[in-house]
Amino acid sequence: MGGGGSTRRVTFEADENENITVVKGVRLSDSVIDRMKEPSGRQHRGSGAVNDEDLKKRIAEELALERARRDSEAQKRRLFGKLLERERISSNEHLTRAMLRERAASEEERQKAQRF
């Protein structure tokens, strides 16, 4: 997690009831929160509270998955941008060639008209 030069601090605390871990300094997407709410079959304490280490591990895994998804999306956008740039260059080249052909044809017609 701390990749990308991030200096944000993440803290884990128990709430006033000592049964929920509060994570401060992390912004989670709705999909991550929904996945965290799903039953996982992991061992829980007898009081029904979530094991802090398990929760920290799960949050770390979810954050890693979210980061990987964002990186993948960013890579797709970069590749799409490169593709669009190549298409733009190609279109400009075709347009330039067409303009040159048209100018040559116009010049040829002008010369023919002068001859007659």
Side-chain angles (χ1 to χ4, degrees):
M1 259 106 6
S6 174
T7 58
R8 185 174 21 181
R9 292 184 64 97
V10 177
T11 59
F12 297 89
E13 300 175 357
D15 71 348
E16 60 275 357
N17 297 328
E18 297 294 323
N19 63 356
I20 297 175
T21 299
V22 178
V23 182
K24 294 183 178 180
V26 177
R27 191 176 306 170
L28 301 175
S29 70
D30 290 337
S31 63
V32 171
I33 292 169
D34 290 342
R35 282 184 278 167
M36 291 172 65
K37 290 178 182 177
E38 293 174 359
S40 63
R42 292 195 173 137
Q43 293 292 327
H44 298 296
R45 292 185 196 146
S47 66
V50 176
N51 182 323
D52 285 348
E53 291 303 315
D54 285 346
L55 184 58
K56 287 178 185 179
K57 186 176 179 180
R58 188 167 183 186
I59 290 172
E61 290 169 356
E62 294 293 337
L63 288 173
L65 288 171
E66 189 68 19
R67 179 174 296 252
R69 186 193 59 76
R70 281 195 315 267
D71 291 346
S72 175
E73 290 297 321
Q75 184 178 18
K76 286 178 187 176
R77 284 190 300 274
R78 283 191 302 273
L79 291 174
F80 187 67
K82 288 179 182 179
L83 177 65
L84 288 177
E85 179 65 15
R86 288 181 186 154
E87 287 292 322
R88 185 189 63 77
I89 290 169
S90 177
S91 295
N92 284 342
E93 288 173 356
H94 289 304
L95 181 61
T96 301
R97 284 191 211 122
M99 289 170 56
L100 290 174
R101 281 194 303 270
E102 192 61 34
R103 284 182 190 159
S106 296
E107 181 63 23
E108 188 177 320
E109 293 222 5
R110 186 187 64 79
Q111 289 175 357
K112 281 182 183 177
Q114 268 185 345
R115 282 187 228 139
F116 293 117

